[in-house]
Amino acid sequence: MKPAVRIAITGAAGNIGYAAAFRISAGDMLGADQPVILQLIEIEPALQALRGVEMELLDCAFPLLEEVIVTTDLSVGFKDADYVLLIGSKPRTKGMERSDLLSDNGKIFKPQGRAINEHSSRDVKVLVIGNPANTNGLIAVNNAPDLSPTQFTSMMRLDHNRALNQLSLKTETPVTGISRLTVWGNHSLTQYPDISHCSIGGESATSLIDMTWYKETFLSSVQKRGAEIIVARGASSAASAASAAIDHMRDWVFGTSGEDWTSMSIVSNGDYGITEGLMFSFPVRCKDGEYEVVRDLEIDDFSREMIQATEKELLEERDAVKDLL
C-alpha cells in the first residue's frame, strides 16, 4: 500500500463535510489504493457532533482510513496536510447583505490561509467550498505567501455538474457524451454556463440546443439551482456539493479526460482579459497534478458580456474585503 496522505476538512460536522468524509474514506477521491488520514476541524460548539462523525467513520471500518483526528485547533488540523477542503463558513441569514457575509467569512478564511501557510505540506492542494467561495479563496491565498497561488482553487464543479445535467436532460444524452462545457466566473447568480464550445454526442451543442431556451431557461436554471434545492428540501445542497468537491480534487490529482476540460476557479494570470489576481472560473485541463487554462477559445459578443458581468461582481467583492488581503 502507498503511504497515507493527510486530508484536512473544515466544517467537518456540517452536511457537506459529513457527506464528503465517508466517500473520501472509501477511496472515491484519491483511489482504492490510497490510505488516508482525516484531520477534521470544527468550531467549539460543533465539537460534540464532530466526535459523532468520528465514531461513525471508525464504525465503517474503511480499509483505507488509517486515522481520524478531531480538533478545533487550526495548527493541529492543517499540520502536514496534503489536501485541504475548506468547507466551514458562515451562512447568509435573512436581512444580511452580501458585504456582511463577505466580511464575516473573511475573518474565518484569513486565519485559515495563514495556518495552511505555516503548517501544511509544501505541496498542499487547497479547495475552497464555503461560500462566497471565490472571494473566500482569494482571502485564503493572499494570506499564504509562502505557497504558490496555483495551490489554491475554489469550487465551480457543482455548477459545472448542474449544467451537464440540464444539457443531458434536454438532449436525452448521457452526461458522459457531453464535453467541453465551461462555467465562467463567480459561484453566484452572475456565473456564465457557456456551451459555445461544447460537444453533445459528438455534435456542436449550439446546433442541437434552441438558443432561446438556452438564454431564457438554461442559464437561470443553473444559476438558481441552489435556491431551488433549498425550497424543495428545506436545506442547501450537501451531497451534491460533496460529490462535486470529490470530482474537482480527483481531476486535479489524476487529470481530465483526453481533450475534454472542466471548470475550476483559480487565481487569474490575465487569461481572456480577466483581472490578474482574481479567483475566477476558467476552462482548465488537468495533468500530473497540475492544471492549465484552455487558451485561445473564441469568445463571442454575448459570452464576452456575460464574462465581464461576473468579473465585475468579483472585483466588487475583492474591494469589499481589501483589508483582509
Side-chain angles (χ1 to χ4, degrees), residues 7 11 16 34 67 74 83 106 127 149 169 175 226-227 229 243 257 282:
I7 303 170
I16 298 174
Q34 179 58 70
E67 185 181 0
L74 296 181
Y83 304 92
L127 171 59
L169 292 173
V175 292
I229 289 170
S243 186
S257 176
F282 293 93

Side-chain angles (χ1 to χ4, degrees), residues 46-265:
L47 189 58
Q48 182 175 347
L50 184 58
R51 296 201 183 282
V53 176
E54 176 191 20
M55 288 187 280
E56 281 201 84
L57 284 165
L58 296 174
D59 287 349
C60 288
F62 289 114
L64 295 174
L65 183 59
E66 287 198 0
E67 185 181 0
V68 180
I69 296 168
V70 169
T71 186
T72 60
D73 187 333
L74 296 181
S75 65
V76 174
F78 292 134
K79 183 174 176 56
D80 298 327
D82 300 290
Y83 304 92
V84 173
L85 304 182
L86 298 181
I87 300 173
S89 63
K90 183 176 180 177
R92 188 171 181 175
T93 55
K94 186 176 180 179
M96 179 183 283
E97 297 295 331
R98 189 172 180 85
S99 59
D100 297 328
L101 182 67
L102 288 165
S103 177
D104 288 351
N105 278 314
K107 295 168 186 174
I108 296 171
F109 286 83
K110 182 173 182 175
Q112 288 182 354
R114 289 179 172 176
I116 292 167
N117 186 69
E118 293 172 12
H119 301 288
S120 293
S121 162
R122 297 303 83 184
D123 297 318
V124 67
K125 286 178 166 59
V126 181
L127 171 59
V128 178
I129 300 162
N131 285 318
N134 296 60
T135 299
N136 287 340
L138 184 67
I139 293 167
V141 70
N142 275 276
N143 284 279
D146 299 328
L147 298 173
S148 168
T150 62
Q151 293 175 252
F152 286 76
T153 63
S154 65
M155 192 169 81
M156 295 294 289
R157 186 57 175 265
L158 179 55
D159 308 294
H160 186 97
N161 287 349
R162 286 168 170 168
L164 284 175
N165 173 61
Q166 293 294 322
L167 293 173
S168 173
L169 292 173
K170 183 66 174 178
T171 63
E172 299 182 347
T173 303
V175 292
T176 52
I178 304 172
S179 61
R180 300 190 177 190
L181 170 73
T182 305
V183 183
W184 300 87
N186 196 8
H187 177 64
S188 74
L189 293 178
T190 68
Q191 64 178 261
Y192 173 45
D194 178 11
I195 66 167
S196 57
H197 307 96
C198 181
S199 173
I200 300 177
E203 298 183 54
S204 168
T206 54
S207 69
L208 299 175
I209 296 294
D210 174 72
M211 295 308 289
T212 299
W213 173 84
Y214 170 70
K215 292 180 179 180
E216 295 182 1
T217 302
F218 172 78
L219 293 179
S220 62
S221 70
V222 177
Q223 293 163 340
K224 298 178 181 179
R225 183 67 164 186
E228 184 182 359
I229 289 170
I230 290 173
V231 170
R233 68 183 294 262
S236 58
S237 306
S240 57
S243 186
I246 288 168
D247 290 343
H248 176 114
M249 278 296 200
R250 187 174 57 240
D251 278 354
W252 193 358
V253 173
F254 296 112
T256 48
S257 176
E259 292 301 306
D260 197 8
W261 60 69
T262 188
S263 305
M264 288 175 63
S265 192

